[in-house]
Amino acid sequence: MNASSGTVALVTQDRGPVKNLEDMERIVVPARPDGLVDLVKAMIILKRDHGLSVILLEGGPSLNHALISSGLVSELFLTLSHRLLGGSQDQILTLLNGQPLPPELSTPLRLISAHLTDDEWFLRYKM
């Protein structure tokens, strides 16, 4: 997670075994009452105890929703690949999977940059 040192950290709520992650530093943070990682506490620990000021997180719709709804995202990077996909509604992934965002988090994004490489767009937005 630290770009200058190339360090990758695994943040988890338990101390159980981790497989095939020998090169990762493991940072254990308190869990929320529902058993999930407390993302706010995780960010505080990463900044305070590990000196990280910029953190790149990659995740799916549930993690994206948890981070954005907690106010922990300042920029959003999107990659658009030109493919037509089909499927039923329960098979279609969205950017955010969860309850509707509160109005203060539903403000328009501001496009910072856009790069086209081959047939993919790499978009960077300010939240």
Side-chain angles (χ1 to χ4, degrees):
M1 289 187 160
N2 185 333
S4 63
S5 70
T7 300
V8 176
L10 170 67
V11 177
T12 181
Q13 81 279 10
D14 67 27
R15 300 180 199 290
V18 176
K19 298 177 183 176
N20 301 321
L21 300 174
E22 298 84 24
D23 296 332
M24 289 191 178
E25 176 183 355
R26 187 158 188 182
I27 300 167
V28 178
V29 297
R32 299 185 325 200
D34 60 8
L36 297 175
V37 170
D38 187 321
L39 295 171
V40 173
K41 289 181 182 172
M43 296 305 130
I44 291 168
I45 289 169
L46 289 170
K47 185 173 184 175
R48 182 192 66 213
D49 298 349
H50 300 275
L52 299 178
S53 59
V54 175
I55 300 169
L56 171 66
L57 293 159
E58 296 183 11
S62 296
L63 180 59
N64 291 340
H65 185 276
L67 291 165
I68 290 171
S69 64
S70 296
L72 296 173
V73 177
S74 59
E75 292 183 0
L76 180 65
F77 291 78
L78 295 177
T79 302
L80 298 181
S81 181
H82 304 340
R83 308 265 190 293
L84 292 176
L85 302 175
S88 62
Q89 189 167 1
D90 62 330
Q91 296 173 318
I92 298 171
L93 291 178
T94 66
L95 184 61
L96 302 176
N97 181 26
Q99 297 296 316
L101 294 175
E104 64 271 14
L105 294 174
S106 296
T107 59
L109 305 176
R110 185 172 55 87
L111 183 64
I112 297 172
S113 65
H115 300 282
L116 179 62
T117 302
D118 295 323
D119 286 333
E120 293 185 329
W121 279 101
F122 298 90
L123 307 172
R124 181 178 177 189
Y125 290 95
K126 181 77 174 166
M127 297 287 293

